[in-house]
Amino acid sequence: MLFPRERLLEWEAERLAPYAQRSAHTRGREYPEPESPYRTPYQKDRDRILHTTAFRRLEYKTQVFPNWAGDYYRTRLTHTLEVAQVSRSIARALGLNEDLTEAIALSHDLGHPPFGHAGERVLHELMREHGGFEHNAQALRLLTRLEVRYPGFPGLNLTYEVREGVATHEAAYALGSKGDYPGQGTLEAQVVDLSDAIAYAAHDLDDGLRSGLLRPEELLEVPLLQALAQEEGLDLARLSELARRILVREVLGYLITHAILATHERVERAGVKSADGVREHPERLAALTPEAERAHGELKAFLRERLYRHPEVLRERRKAEAVLEGLFQAYTRYPETLPKEVQARIPEEGLERAVCDYLAGMTDRFALEAYRKLFP
């Protein structure tokens, strides 16, 4: 039995919730092109994202711990895959379009520079007088301009809804693209945003414990961890490897369940009946229950104080600052040392933006190697 695109679109019409974004109702692509006979538009988008150079580079970009710190710590790639898994779990429970959800999740961090959020802060400071830097805006640049893989158009020519999902990721995002993508975004995009916060809280806890930077007895300060440990019969003061995995799994399960319950309740209360109704609603509908939101906030505050500000983590941040500042200053002063393809973009983009794009695309180890070559 074959399932051509037309049958897949019918399946969506029959089974998805009324507030889900159906593939048949896409606002389309910037450049017209034929669709796949056996994939929906969002499945085609997902596949294009997976095959980009930017996606592969995520394997060697820092989440919290740099790639060389150990084989088992999350990288920006494994974080992205975990966000996709959490997003699809929530989307399926709510009757949303899983393919659109997955495409947005896989692309949401493509614009992150090397060295995690430290790298983003450094590039923003360096570009302050040249338009700034923000990883969501950079992801949109990659998807619409910088990834050149087709002869007929720049970028990947993704559907409006995937581009919208990247542009509206995180409520604080406000660097220009909101004018092109007004509103709250689809519920699929909002679910990815929420899943991102859920995933990094759980896996940063896991990596912090694995590294030894977080001590098990410190977890007693977090009410959610105390409660979950008590339910599972775990002793937080003496966590074995198996107990740590159980605890992290329970944290994920708790937050995912409360995200599903709260989002469903808010959608029902709002009475939205279409994807446009979600976009036009005055506030975001994807959320945690008040109880889980409070618990999630306490966990994030704990991680911020005990992990992200740990001297070992801060030491790596200082390295990131030195490397990116040094590379930026060297390349803007001596642009002839840039690769030819980067030099070719200077007349159109400007020197600083072309350098910034080049640095943002680097992996951690490529940036370090480039720094060693310039400053032996």
mmCIF file of all heavy atoms in Angstrom, residues 237-285:
data_model
loop_
_atom_site.group_PDB
_atom_site.id
_atom_site.type_symbol
_atom_site.label_atom_id
_atom_site.label_comp_id
_atom_site.label_asym_id
_atom_site.label_seq_id
_atom_site.Cartn_x
_atom_site.Cartn_y
_atom_site.Cartn_z
ATOM 1 N N ALA A 237 21.733 12.118 48.745
ATOM 2 C CA ALA A 237 23.078 12.307 49.286
ATOM 3 C C ALA A 237 24.072 11.289 48.732
ATOM 4 O O ALA A 237 25.275 11.505 48.775
ATOM 5 C CB ALA A 237 23.050 12.221 50.809
ATOM 6 N N ARG A 238 23.563 10.170 48.199
ATOM 7 C CA ARG A 238 24.443 9.120 47.669
ATOM 8 C C ARG A 238 23.830 8.581 46.375
ATOM 9 O O ARG A 238 23.263 7.474 46.359
ATOM 10 C CB ARG A 238 24.633 7.997 48.687
ATOM 11 C CG ARG A 238 25.454 8.396 49.908
ATOM 12 C CD ARG A 238 25.691 7.223 50.849
ATOM 13 N NE ARG A 238 24.437 6.778 51.430
ATOM 14 C CZ ARG A 238 23.885 7.316 52.512
ATOM 15 N NH1 ARG A 238 24.473 8.333 53.113
ATOM 16 N NH2 ARG A 238 22.746 6.853 52.991
ATOM 17 N N LEU A 239 23.977 9.335 45.305
ATOM 18 C CA LEU A 239 23.377 8.954 44.027
ATOM 19 C C LEU A 239 24.311 8.032 43.242
ATOM 20 O O LEU A 239 25.428 8.419 42.896
ATOM 21 C CB LEU A 239 23.092 10.190 43.179
ATOM 22 C CG LEU A 239 21.762 10.919 43.352
ATOM 23 C CD1 LEU A 239 21.680 12.053 42.342
ATOM 24 C CD2 LEU A 239 20.575 9.993 43.207
ATOM 25 N N SER A 240 23.844 6.827 42.957
ATOM 26 C CA SER A 240 24.589 5.966 42.048
ATOM 27 C C SER A 240 24.322 6.415 40.615
ATOM 28 O O SER A 240 23.472 7.276 40.352
ATOM 29 C CB SER A 240 24.126 4.519 42.214
ATOM 30 O OG SER A 240 22.771 4.380 41.802
ATOM 31 N N GLU A 241 25.036 5.831 39.663
ATOM 32 C CA GLU A 241 24.816 6.190 38.262
ATOM 33 C C GLU A 241 23.393 5.862 37.838
ATOM 34 O O GLU A 241 22.733 6.652 37.153
ATOM 35 C CB GLU A 241 25.822 5.470 37.367
ATOM 36 C CG GLU A 241 25.695 5.869 35.902
ATOM 37 C CD GLU A 241 26.795 5.284 35.038
ATOM 38 O OE1 GLU A 241 27.710 4.650 35.591
ATOM 39 O OE2 GLU A 241 26.740 5.472 33.811
ATOM 40 N N LEU A 242 22.898 4.684 38.257
ATOM 41 C CA LEU A 242 21.527 4.307 37.913
ATOM 42 C C LEU A 242 20.530 5.258 38.557
ATOM 43 O O LEU A 242 19.555 5.684 37.918
ATOM 44 C CB LEU A 242 21.251 2.870 38.348
ATOM 45 C CG LEU A 242 19.821 2.362 38.104
ATOM 46 C CD1 LEU A 242 19.471 2.442 36.618
ATOM 47 C CD2 LEU A 242 19.663 0.928 38.624
ATOM 48 N N ALA A 243 20.762 5.625 39.802
ATOM 49 C CA ALA A 243 19.849 6.541 40.493
ATOM 50 C C ALA A 243 19.825 7.899 39.811
ATOM 51 O O ALA A 243 18.769 8.542 39.713
ATOM 52 C CB ALA A 243 20.260 6.675 41.954
ATOM 53 N N ARG A 244 20.990 8.352 39.340
ATOM 54 C CA ARG A 244 21.035 9.629 38.633
ATOM 55 C C ARG A 244 20.177 9.570 37.372
ATOM 56 O O ARG A 244 19.417 10.495 37.072
ATOM 57 C CB ARG A 244 22.473 9.969 38.252
ATOM 58 C CG ARG A 244 22.618 11.351 37.636
ATOM 59 C CD ARG A 244 23.981 11.568 36.990
ATOM 60 N NE ARG A 244 24.087 10.898 35.712
ATOM 61 C CZ ARG A 244 24.977 9.959 35.421
ATOM 62 N NH1 ARG A 244 25.854 9.551 36.328
ATOM 63 N NH2 ARG A 244 25.008 9.413 34.225
ATOM 64 N N ARG A 245 20.273 8.465 36.659
ATOM 65 C CA ARG A 245 19.487 8.331 35.427
ATOM 66 C C ARG A 245 17.995 8.287 35.733
ATOM 67 O O ARG A 245 17.183 8.867 34.988
ATOM 68 C CB ARG A 245 19.915 7.067 34.687
ATOM 69 C CG ARG A 245 21.330 7.156 34.123
ATOM 70 C CD ARG A 245 21.773 5.857 33.503
ATOM 71 N NE ARG A 245 23.106 5.973 32.921
ATOM 72 C CZ ARG A 245 23.779 4.968 32.382
ATOM 73 N NH1 ARG A 245 23.244 3.746 32.377
ATOM 74 N NH2 ARG A 245 24.972 5.160 31.850
ATOM 75 N N ILE A 246 17.637 7.604 36.804
ATOM 76 C CA ILE A 246 16.225 7.558 37.197
ATOM 77 C C ILE A 246 15.724 8.953 37.541
ATOM 78 O O ILE A 246 14.631 9.366 37.118
ATOM 79 C CB ILE A 246 16.034 6.606 38.397
ATOM 80 C CG1 ILE A 246 16.313 5.156 37.972
ATOM 81 C CG2 ILE A 246 14.630 6.735 38.990
ATOM 82 C CD1 ILE A 246 16.355 4.174 39.134
ATOM 83 N N LEU A 247 16.513 9.687 38.293
ATOM 84 C CA LEU A 247 16.105 11.034 38.709
ATOM 85 C C LEU A 247 15.909 11.942 37.500
ATOM 86 O O LEU A 247 14.892 12.653 37.407
ATOM 87 C CB LEU A 247 17.157 11.630 39.646
ATOM 88 C CG LEU A 247 16.873 13.043 40.159
ATOM 89 C CD1 LEU A 247 15.619 13.063 41.018
ATOM 90 C CD2 LEU A 247 18.070 13.580 40.946
ATOM 91 N N VAL A 248 16.857 11.945 36.573
ATOM 92 C CA VAL A 248 16.748 12.802 35.390
ATOM 93 C C VAL A 248 15.541 12.400 34.553
ATOM 94 O O VAL A 248 14.808 13.255 34.038
ATOM 95 C CB VAL A 248 18.046 12.733 34.564
ATOM 96 C CG1 VAL A 248 17.880 13.471 33.234
ATOM 97 C CG2 VAL A 248 19.207 13.328 35.349
ATOM 98 N N ARG A 249 15.307 11.091 34.434
ATOM 99 C CA ARG A 249 14.137 10.624 33.680
ATOM 100 C C ARG A 249 12.839 11.105 34.318
ATOM 101 O O ARG A 249 11.905 11.520 33.638
ATOM 102 C CB ARG A 249 14.147 9.094 33.606
ATOM 103 C CG ARG A 249 13.016 8.518 32.747
ATOM 104 C CD ARG A 249 13.071 7.006 32.723
ATOM 105 N NE ARG A 249 12.727 6.437 34.015
ATOM 106 C CZ ARG A 249 13.465 5.534 34.664
ATOM 107 N NH1 ARG A 249 14.614 5.134 34.163
ATOM 108 N NH2 ARG A 249 13.054 5.050 35.820
ATOM 109 N N GLU A 250 12.791 11.075 35.644
ATOM 110 C CA GLU A 250 11.586 11.524 36.348
ATOM 111 C C GLU A 250 11.380 13.029 36.203
ATOM 112 O O GLU A 250 10.241 13.494 36.103
ATOM 113 C CB GLU A 250 11.671 11.135 37.824
ATOM 114 C CG GLU A 250 11.577 9.633 38.080
ATOM 115 C CD GLU A 250 10.290 9.042 37.537
ATOM 116 O OE1 GLU A 250 9.216 9.616 37.806
ATOM 117 O OE2 GLU A 250 10.364 8.017 36.820
ATOM 118 N N VAL A 251 12.462 13.788 36.200
ATOM 119 C CA VAL A 251 12.348 15.232 35.985
ATOM 120 C C VAL A 251 11.744 15.505 34.606
ATOM 121 O O VAL A 251 10.805 16.301 34.458
ATOM 122 C CB VAL A 251 13.723 15.922 36.107
ATOM 123 C CG1 VAL A 251 13.648 17.373 35.627
ATOM 124 C CG2 VAL A 251 14.220 15.881 37.545
ATOM 125 N N LEU A 252 12.272 14.823 33.583
ATOM 126 C CA LEU A 252 11.747 14.995 32.231
ATOM 127 C C LEU A 252 10.271 14.604 32.165
ATOM 128 O O LEU A 252 9.442 15.330 31.601
ATOM 129 C CB LEU A 252 12.537 14.138 31.247
ATOM 130 C CG LEU A 252 13.695 14.796 30.497
ATOM 131 C CD1 LEU A 252 14.382 13.773 29.616
ATOM 132 C CD2 LEU A 252 13.221 15.975 29.673
ATOM 133 N N GLY A 253 9.943 13.445 32.730
ATOM 134 C CA GLY A 253 8.564 12.977 32.689
ATOM 135 C C GLY A 253 7.609 13.937 33.377
ATOM 136 O O GLY A 253 6.510 14.206 32.884
ATOM 137 N N TYR A 254 8.030 14.444 34.525
ATOM 138 C CA TYR A 254 7.193 15.384 35.282
ATOM 139 C C TYR A 254 6.925 16.642 34.457
ATOM 140 O O TYR A 254 5.777 17.092 34.328
ATOM 141 C CB TYR A 254 7.901 15.746 36.585
ATOM 142 C CG TYR A 254 7.261 16.868 37.367
ATOM 143 C CD1 TYR A 254 6.200 16.635 38.240
ATOM 144 C CD2 TYR A 254 7.713 18.184 37.211
ATOM 145 C CE1 TYR A 254 5.617 17.675 38.955
ATOM 146 C CE2 TYR A 254 7.132 19.225 37.915
ATOM 147 C CZ TYR A 254 6.088 18.973 38.789
ATOM 148 O OH TYR A 254 5.498 20.004 39.473
ATOM 149 N N LEU A 255 7.981 17.231 33.874
ATOM 150 C CA LEU A 255 7.815 18.478 33.136
ATOM 151 C C LEU A 255 7.020 18.272 31.844
ATOM 152 O O LEU A 255 6.183 19.107 31.477
ATOM 153 C CB LEU A 255 9.181 19.092 32.832
ATOM 154 C CG LEU A 255 9.975 19.577 34.055
ATOM 155 C CD1 LEU A 255 11.372 20.034 33.644
ATOM 156 C CD2 LEU A 255 9.237 20.709 34.766
ATOM 157 N N ILE A 256 7.258 17.167 31.150
ATOM 158 C CA ILE A 256 6.522 16.893 29.915
ATOM 159 C C ILE A 256 5.031 16.705 30.221
ATOM 160 O O ILE A 256 4.162 17.257 29.531
ATOM 161 C CB ILE A 256 7.091 15.654 29.205
ATOM 162 C CG1 ILE A 256 8.473 15.969 28.618
ATOM 163 C CG2 ILE A 256 6.149 15.174 28.093
ATOM 164 C CD1 ILE A 256 9.215 14.765 28.095
ATOM 165 N N THR A 257 4.724 15.932 31.251
ATOM 166 C CA THR A 257 3.322 15.708 31.609
ATOM 167 C C THR A 257 2.622 17.007 31.952
ATOM 168 O O THR A 257 1.495 17.279 31.494
ATOM 169 C CB THR A 257 3.234 14.732 32.799
ATOM 170 O OG1 THR A 257 3.787 13.469 32.407
ATOM 171 C CG2 THR A 257 1.791 14.530 33.239
ATOM 172 N N HIS A 258 3.276 17.845 32.737
ATOM 173 C CA HIS A 258 2.647 19.105 33.137
ATOM 174 C C HIS A 258 2.580 20.096 31.972
ATOM 175 O O HIS A 258 1.682 20.954 31.962
ATOM 176 C CB HIS A 258 3.390 19.700 34.328
ATOM 177 C CG HIS A 258 3.053 19.028 35.623
ATOM 178 N ND1 HIS A 258 2.193 19.578 36.550
ATOM 179 C CD2 HIS A 258 3.426 17.823 36.140
ATOM 180 C CE1 HIS A 258 2.059 18.762 37.582
ATOM 181 N NE2 HIS A 258 2.810 17.689 37.353
ATOM 182 N N ALA A 259 3.471 19.975 31.009
ATOM 183 C CA ALA A 259 3.374 20.805 29.801
ATOM 184 C C ALA A 259 2.154 20.405 28.981
ATOM 185 O O ALA A 259 1.415 21.265 28.477
ATOM 186 C CB ALA A 259 4.645 20.671 28.959
ATOM 187 N N ILE A 260 1.933 19.121 28.834
ATOM 188 C CA ILE A 260 0.772 18.629 28.080
ATOM 189 C C ILE A 260 -0.528 19.067 28.756
ATOM 190 O O ILE A 260 -1.438 19.608 28.109
ATOM 191 C CB ILE A 260 0.828 17.092 27.955
ATOM 192 C CG1 ILE A 260 1.999 16.685 27.056
ATOM 193 C CG2 ILE A 260 -0.496 16.546 27.409
ATOM 194 C CD1 ILE A 260 2.319 15.197 27.104
ATOM 195 N N LEU A 261 -0.625 18.859 30.071
ATOM 196 C CA LEU A 261 -1.849 19.192 30.791
ATOM 197 C C LEU A 261 -2.138 20.686 30.752
ATOM 198 O O LEU A 261 -3.273 21.113 30.492
ATOM 199 C CB LEU A 261 -1.737 18.713 32.242
ATOM 200 C CG LEU A 261 -1.668 17.198 32.454
ATOM 201 C CD1 LEU A 261 -1.407 16.876 33.917
ATOM 202 C CD2 LEU A 261 -2.954 16.518 31.982
ATOM 203 N N ALA A 262 -1.129 21.497 31.001
ATOM 204 C CA ALA A 262 -1.343 22.947 31.047
ATOM 205 C C ALA A 262 -1.674 23.504 29.671
ATOM 206 O O ALA A 262 -2.566 24.352 29.532
ATOM 207 C CB ALA A 262 -0.099 23.636 31.605
ATOM 208 N N THR A 263 -0.953 23.040 28.639
ATOM 209 C CA THR A 263 -1.210 23.553 27.295
ATOM 210 C C THR A 263 -2.608 23.182 26.828
ATOM 211 O O THR A 263 -3.337 24.003 26.253
ATOM 212 C CB THR A 263 -0.148 23.029 26.315
ATOM 213 O OG1 THR A 263 1.155 23.406 26.782
ATOM 214 C CG2 THR A 263 -0.361 23.591 24.918
ATOM 215 N N HIS A 264 -3.011 21.945 27.079
ATOM 216 C CA HIS A 264 -4.373 21.521 26.709
ATOM 217 C C HIS A 264 -5.416 22.370 27.420
ATOM 218 O O HIS A 264 -6.392 22.833 26.809
ATOM 219 C CB HIS A 264 -4.572 20.049 27.054
ATOM 220 C CG HIS A 264 -5.956 19.554 26.778
ATOM 221 N ND1 HIS A 264 -6.911 19.421 27.760
ATOM 222 C CD2 HIS A 264 -6.557 19.196 25.612
ATOM 223 C CE1 HIS A 264 -8.037 18.995 27.227
ATOM 224 N NE2 HIS A 264 -7.850 18.852 25.923
ATOM 225 N N GLU A 265 -5.221 22.614 28.703
ATOM 226 C CA GLU A 265 -6.188 23.399 29.471
ATOM 227 C C GLU A 265 -6.265 24.831 28.952
ATOM 228 O O GLU A 265 -7.345 25.408 28.815
ATOM 229 C CB GLU A 265 -5.784 23.387 30.951
ATOM 230 C CG GLU A 265 -6.867 23.879 31.912
ATOM 231 C CD GLU A 265 -6.862 25.394 32.062
ATOM 232 O OE1 GLU A 265 -5.785 25.998 31.899
ATOM 233 O OE2 GLU A 265 -7.942 25.966 32.344
ATOM 234 N N ARG A 266 -5.126 25.420 28.607
ATOM 235 C CA ARG A 266 -5.102 26.793 28.124
ATOM 236 C C ARG A 266 -5.737 26.904 26.733
ATOM 237 O O ARG A 266 -6.441 27.880 26.422
ATOM 238 C CB ARG A 266 -3.660 27.320 28.090
ATOM 239 C CG ARG A 266 -3.089 27.590 29.481
ATOM 240 C CD ARG A 266 -1.576 27.708 29.461
ATOM 241 N NE ARG A 266 -1.120 28.904 28.786
ATOM 242 C CZ ARG A 266 -0.843 30.055 29.396
ATOM 243 N NH1 ARG A 266 -0.981 30.163 30.703
ATOM 244 N NH2 ARG A 266 -0.409 31.087 28.704
ATOM 245 N N VAL A 267 -5.499 25.905 25.892
ATOM 246 C CA VAL A 267 -6.112 25.903 24.560
ATOM 247 C C VAL A 267 -7.630 25.795 24.672
ATOM 248 O O VAL A 267 -8.379 26.500 23.981
ATOM 249 C CB VAL A 267 -5.536 24.753 23.714
ATOM 250 C CG1 VAL A 267 -6.380 24.531 22.458
ATOM 251 C CG2 VAL A 267 -4.090 25.037 23.332
ATOM 252 N N GLU A 268 -8.081 24.901 25.554
ATOM 253 C CA GLU A 268 -9.532 24.736 25.745
ATOM 254 C C GLU A 268 -10.151 26.018 26.280
ATOM 255 O O GLU A 268 -11.223 26.445 25.828
ATOM 256 C CB GLU A 268 -9.789 23.575 26.707
ATOM 257 C CG GLU A 268 -9.447 22.207 26.140
ATOM 258 C CD GLU A 268 -10.411 21.812 25.033
ATOM 259 O OE1 GLU A 268 -11.628 21.805 25.291
ATOM 260 O OE2 GLU A 268 -9.937 21.526 23.909
ATOM 261 N N ARG A 269 -9.497 26.640 27.238
ATOM 262 C CA ARG A 269 -10.032 27.861 27.829
ATOM 263 C C ARG A 269 -10.038 29.010 26.819
ATOM 264 O O ARG A 269 -10.963 29.826 26.800
ATOM 265 C CB ARG A 269 -9.212 28.251 29.062
ATOM 266 C CG ARG A 269 -9.843 29.380 29.876
ATOM 267 C CD ARG A 269 -9.126 29.604 31.199
ATOM 268 N NE ARG A 269 -7.774 30.089 31.028
ATOM 269 C CZ ARG A 269 -6.692 29.461 31.435
ATOM 270 N NH1 ARG A 269 -6.804 28.290 32.055
ATOM 271 N NH2 ARG A 269 -5.492 29.975 31.254
ATOM 272 N N ALA A 270 -9.030 29.056 25.962
ATOM 273 C CA ALA A 270 -8.961 30.123 24.960
ATOM 274 C C ALA A 270 -9.975 29.930 23.844
ATOM 275 O O ALA A 270 -10.367 30.892 23.177
ATOM 276 C CB ALA A 270 -7.549 30.199 24.373
ATOM 277 N N GLY A 271 -10.381 28.679 23.610
ATOM 278 C CA GLY A 271 -11.372 28.397 22.581
ATOM 279 C C GLY A 271 -10.859 28.567 21.160
ATOM 280 O O GLY A 271 -11.654 28.793 20.239
ATOM 281 N N VAL A 272 -9.555 28.448 20.953
ATOM 282 C CA VAL A 272 -9.013 28.599 19.598
ATOM 283 C C VAL A 272 -9.384 27.383 18.752
ATOM 284 O O VAL A 272 -9.364 26.256 19.232
ATOM 285 C CB VAL A 272 -7.478 28.795 19.621
ATOM 286 C CG1 VAL A 272 -7.127 30.116 20.257
ATOM 287 C CG2 VAL A 272 -6.783 27.650 20.331
ATOM 288 N N LYS A 273 -9.697 27.629 17.492
ATOM 289 C CA LYS A 273 -10.165 26.565 16.611
ATOM 290 C C LYS A 273 -9.335 26.432 15.348
ATOM 291 O O LYS A 273 -9.708 25.688 14.437
ATOM 292 C CB LYS A 273 -11.627 26.815 16.220
ATOM 293 C CG LYS A 273 -12.601 26.879 17.395
ATOM 294 C CD LYS A 273 -12.639 25.548 18.153
ATOM 295 C CE LYS A 273 -13.649 25.594 19.298
ATOM 296 N NZ LYS A 273 -13.612 24.344 20.105
ATOM 297 N N SER A 274 -8.234 27.143 15.286
ATOM 298 C CA SER A 274 -7.398 27.086 14.093
ATOM 299 C C SER A 274 -5.984 27.505 14.445
ATOM 300 O O SER A 274 -5.736 28.091 15.506
ATOM 301 C CB SER A 274 -7.949 28.017 13.004
ATOM 302 O OG SER A 274 -7.834 29.366 13.413
ATOM 303 N N ALA A 275 -5.053 27.245 13.522
ATOM 304 C CA ALA A 275 -3.668 27.674 13.732
ATOM 305 C C ALA A 275 -3.582 29.197 13.766
ATOM 306 O O ALA A 275 -2.808 29.767 14.544
ATOM 307 C CB ALA A 275 -2.779 27.113 12.623
ATOM 308 N N ASP A 276 -4.377 29.866 12.949
ATOM 309 C CA ASP A 276 -4.380 31.332 12.984
ATOM 310 C C ASP A 276 -4.942 31.854 14.297
ATOM 311 O O ASP A 276 -4.505 32.903 14.791
ATOM 312 C CB ASP A 276 -5.188 31.890 11.814
ATOM 313 C CG ASP A 276 -4.398 31.879 10.507
ATOM 314 O OD1 ASP A 276 -3.153 31.816 10.568
ATOM 315 O OD2 ASP A 276 -5.025 31.928 9.437
ATOM 316 N N GLY A 277 -5.895 31.115 14.865
ATOM 317 C CA GLY A 277 -6.408 31.499 16.175
ATOM 318 C C GLY A 277 -5.333 31.453 17.244
ATOM 319 O O GLY A 277 -5.295 32.297 18.152
ATOM 320 N N VAL A 278 -4.437 30.471 17.134
ATOM 321 C CA VAL A 278 -3.305 30.382 18.061
ATOM 322 C C VAL A 278 -2.371 31.572 17.857
ATOM 323 O O VAL A 278 -1.925 32.211 18.810
ATOM 324 C CB VAL A 278 -2.538 29.059 17.856
ATOM 325 C CG1 VAL A 278 -1.277 29.023 18.718
ATOM 326 C CG2 VAL A 278 -3.425 27.863 18.177
ATOM 327 N N ARG A 279 -2.066 31.875 16.595
ATOM 328 C CA ARG A 279 -1.171 32.995 16.291
ATOM 329 C C ARG A 279 -1.705 34.314 16.851
ATOM 330 O O ARG A 279 -0.954 35.141 17.351
ATOM 331 C CB ARG A 279 -1.013 33.151 14.785
ATOM 332 C CG ARG A 279 -0.154 32.117 14.093
ATOM 333 C CD ARG A 279 0.003 32.517 12.630
ATOM 334 N NE ARG A 279 0.865 31.591 11.919
ATOM 335 C CZ ARG A 279 0.433 30.548 11.219
ATOM 336 N NH1 ARG A 279 -0.872 30.291 11.165
ATOM 337 N NH2 ARG A 279 1.287 29.757 10.589
ATOM 338 N N GLU A 280 -3.009 34.500 16.719
ATOM 339 C CA GLU A 280 -3.618 35.784 17.060
ATOM 340 C C GLU A 280 -3.996 35.903 18.529
ATOM 341 O O GLU A 280 -4.398 36.984 18.979
ATOM 342 C CB GLU A 280 -4.871 35.978 16.193
ATOM 343 C CG GLU A 280 -4.549 36.096 14.705
ATOM 344 C CD GLU A 280 -5.759 35.870 13.820
ATOM 345 O OE1 GLU A 280 -6.884 35.720 14.371
ATOM 346 O OE2 GLU A 280 -5.587 35.823 12.584
ATOM 347 N N HIS A 281 -3.851 34.824 19.283
ATOM 348 C CA HIS A 281 -4.201 34.891 20.700
ATOM 349 C C HIS A 281 -3.246 35.868 21.403
ATOM 350 O O HIS A 281 -2.058 35.921 21.084
ATOM 351 C CB HIS A 281 -4.104 33.505 21.338
ATOM 352 C CG HIS A 281 -4.789 33.416 22.659
ATOM 353 N ND1 HIS A 281 -6.158 33.466 22.801
ATOM 354 C CD2 HIS A 281 -4.296 33.299 23.919
ATOM 355 C CE1 HIS A 281 -6.477 33.376 24.079
ATOM 356 N NE2 HIS A 281 -5.366 33.278 24.771
ATOM 357 N N PRO A 282 -3.730 36.634 22.364
ATOM 358 C CA PRO A 282 -2.874 37.661 22.981
ATOM 359 C C PRO A 282 -1.701 37.128 23.790
ATOM 360 O O PRO A 282 -0.773 37.879 24.095
ATOM 361 C CB PRO A 282 -3.855 38.438 23.875
ATOM 362 C CG PRO A 282 -5.023 37.540 24.069
ATOM 363 C CD PRO A 282 -5.119 36.725 22.823
ATOM 364 N N GLU A 283 -1.716 35.857 24.158
ATOM 365 C CA GLU A 283 -0.577 35.300 24.904
ATOM 366 C C GLU A 283 -0.277 33.901 24.411
ATOM 367 O O GLU A 283 -1.084 33.260 23.735
ATOM 368 C CB GLU A 283 -0.891 35.253 26.406
ATOM 369 C CG GLU A 283 -2.079 34.383 26.753
ATOM 370 C CD GLU A 283 -2.404 34.409 28.235
ATOM 371 O OE1 GLU A 283 -1.889 35.282 28.946
ATOM 372 O OE2 GLU A 283 -3.187 33.531 28.668
ATOM 373 N N ARG A 284 0.916 33.436 24.720
ATOM 374 C CA ARG A 284 1.309 32.086 24.315
ATOM 375 C C ARG A 284 0.488 31.045 25.069
ATOM 376 O O ARG A 284 0.187 31.223 26.253
ATOM 377 C CB ARG A 284 2.803 31.875 24.547
ATOM 378 C CG ARG A 284 3.660 32.677 23.573
ATOM 379 C CD ARG A 284 5.038 32.097 23.424
ATOM 380 N NE ARG A 284 5.624 32.527 22.163
ATOM 381 C CZ ARG A 284 6.708 31.986 21.618
ATOM 382 N NH1 ARG A 284 7.304 30.992 22.224
ATOM 383 N NH2 ARG A 284 7.166 32.425 20.475
ATOM 384 N N LEU A 285 0.160 29.964 24.364
ATOM 385 C CA LEU A 285 -0.704 28.940 24.942
ATOM 386 C C LEU A 285 0.087 27.732 25.445
ATOM 387 O O LEU A 285 -0.411 26.985 26.294
ATOM 388 C CB LEU A 285 -1.743 28.491 23.907
ATOM 389 C CG LEU A 285 -2.732 29.590 23.480
ATOM 390 C CD1 LEU A 285 -3.584 29.119 22.310
ATOM 391 C CD2 LEU A 285 -3.603 30.007 24.648
#
